[in-house]
Amino acid sequence: IRSLNSDLNSMICTALVNRTRHRMASDVRAAGEKIRNRRLFDCLTHDTNAIVNNSANDAEVNQVASSVEKQIQYALALDLNRRPRLSRTNAALIQVDERDKQANERARYMCINTAILWGWRDPVLTNKQRCRIAKAACRQVAYNFGYRKPLGSSQMPAWYGMLNRAILSGESSDPLSPSFFLRKSYIDSIENIHPGCILELFRYAQMRRGGLENFQ
């Protein structure tokens, strides 16, 4: 009987511990979701005192967060294979380019701005949540701009980094233009490491091929 009572007590204690852990995990998730919704509300309403002063009630915060979530779900559900492609307001037709082309600078700007508006840069979010927002933003921009396929959401951090570097360095060129490259050419790299090497090779080539040869 004592053995049975001991086993029963052990089972009850284990059940209580598991229930407590489950409840704590649930409370932590709920608190994290509440903080995320508050930060998103603050970002969208530009109310810097909203969290400190608690000027917005939970209903208003949840309403904004729910609205953003609906926008993300709607963007992920957009059908890029639809022909003819209607605008999202059904007011006009979108001309679809059937070629596989990369995102232009305007599309990249729109992807970044849309994703940030939806909380993509919020450090509270997990990597999975940020990837989902980036995917939704790129898909919506691809739909609006007439791309045949979704834009590469995996390139969003690179685009954002290029934009930040251009802002910090005062670069006058457009960093998000597809024709803009941050890397130096192979010849420039050699010339930086070995000054005069390219000219010496050119002179040697002239000696071997003749004086009418040029850099080409």
Side-chain angles (χ1 to χ4, degrees):
I1 296 176
R2 290 180 179 178
S3 178
L4 291 175
N5 289 336
S6 178
D7 292 341
L8 181 60
N9 290 335
S10 177
M11 292 175 61
I12 292 175
C13 290
T14 302
L16 290 175
V17 169
N18 291 335
R19 182 177 180 182
T20 303
R21 289 177 178 175
H22 179 74
R23 185 172 182 179
M24 288 179 62
S26 179
D27 291 342
V28 169
R29 285 194 297 269
E33 189 69 21
K34 186 175 181 180
I35 292 174
R36 178 195 170 190
N37 293 344
R38 280 279 178 179
R39 292 171 64 89
L40 185 61
F41 178 85
D42 177 41
C43 178
L44 293 177
T45 59
H46 303 286
D47 185 3
T48 56
N49 298 320
I51 298 178
V52 178
N53 297 332
N54 198 23
S55 59
N57 55 42
D58 290 340
E60 294 175 333
V61 173
N62 293 335
Q63 183 179 4
V64 172
S66 177
S67 176
V68 171
E69 178 60 27
K70 288 180 180 178
Q71 294 177 31
I72 295 174
Q73 292 179 359
Y74 178 79
L76 291 172
L78 288 172
D79 185 9
L80 297 182
N81 296 321
R82 181 180 180 180
R83 301 292 186 276
R85 182 183 295 181
L86 296 175
S87 64
R88 292 188 292 123
T89 59
N90 294 327
L93 291 176
I94 298 176
Q95 186 68 30
V96 179
D97 191 345
E98 298 297 341
R99 298 172 297 174
D100 291 331
K101 60 179 183 178
Q102 59 181 331
N104 58 30
E105 53 193 282
R106 183 164 172 256
R108 294 179 182 184
Y109 278 117
M110 288 295 293
C111 287
I112 293 175
N113 290 334
T114 304
I116 292 177
L117 186 64
W118 289 343
W120 176 60
R121 293 296 302 167
D122 193 336
V124 174
L125 300 183
T126 63
N127 182 63
K128 183 178 180 180
Q129 291 172 325
R130 285 195 291 268
C131 288
R132 178 173 176 266
I133 292 175
K135 184 178 179 181
C138 288
R139 191 174 188 87
Q140 178 170 288
V141 173
Y143 185 93
N144 294 340
F145 282 47
Y147 287 90
R148 189 172 70 91
K149 294 182 179 180
L151 301 178
S153 58
S154 61
Q155 297 298 315
M156 286 274 291
W159 298 343
Y160 186 76
M162 292 167 63
L163 187 60
N164 276 349
R165 284 194 295 270
I167 294 173
L168 294 176
S169 63
E171 177 63 49
S172 59
S173 301
D174 192 341
L176 295 186
S177 174
S179 60
F180 179 80
F181 297 96
L182 293 177
R183 293 178 296 182
K184 295 182 179 179
S185 67
Y186 180 67
I187 294 179
D188 291 338
S189 300
I190 296 177
E191 189 65 26
N192 288 335
I193 299 174
H194 306 286
C197 178
I198 300 299
L199 181 59
E200 184 177 350
L201 291 175
F202 172 68
R203 296 305 182 193
Y204 176 77
Q206 280 188 322
M207 292 173 55
R208 301 289 297 180
R209 300 288 298 248
L212 297 179
E213 293 293 334
N214 53 35
F215 274 106
Q216 300 298 328

